[in-house]
Amino acid sequence: MTYTYKGVELEERTCPHCNKPLEPWVAPPETGWGVIVVCNNNECPFFVGSDSEIINKRDDSNLGCRYAENPDNNYTPFNLLAWCV
């Protein structure tokens, strides 16, 4: 099934790690992405603990990764850098 978000037609997608729906997000212009879809589930196994898996990260940094897909690239998955609380 498809839907339109900010003028972009998107497929309904789910996170392969937690099976929650991926949510559309308009990426900042400097990234080169348009609309991407992201797992915003704070309980997702991909996100939980991801702050300890980033190599060469400062110890006091709260950065982690969320699962995301780029619709402009056949929904290719990638790690979206995110702030972990």
Side-chain angles (χ1 to χ4, degrees), residues 2-62:
T2 63
Y3 63 98
T4 302
Y5 178 82
K6 302 282 185 183
V8 177
E9 188 171 329
L10 300 171
E11 294 177 13
E12 287 185 4
R13 309 280 292 182
T14 57
C15 177
H17 305 280
C18 68
N19 293 316
K20 298 288 185 186
L22 298 180
E23 300 175 20
W25 183 65
V26 178
E30 60 272 9
T31 64
W33 299 323
V35 175
I36 59 176
V37 290
V38 181
C39 179
N40 285 316
N41 177 10
N42 289 337
E43 305 297 317
C44 179
F46 188 86
F47 179 66
V48 173
S50 65
D51 58 330
S52 65
E53 295 180 13
I54 297 176
I55 298 171
N56 298 325
K57 182 183 76 143
R58 288 190 343 237
D59 290 338
D60 62 343
S61 173
N62 290 330

Side-chain angles (χ1 to χ4, degrees), residues 17 33 46 53 64-69 76-82:
H17 305 280
W33 299 323
F46 188 86
E53 295 180 13
C65 292
R66 291 197 181 272
Y67 179 83
E69 295 179 352
T76 301
F78 66 97
N79 298 337
L80 179 65
L81 202 57

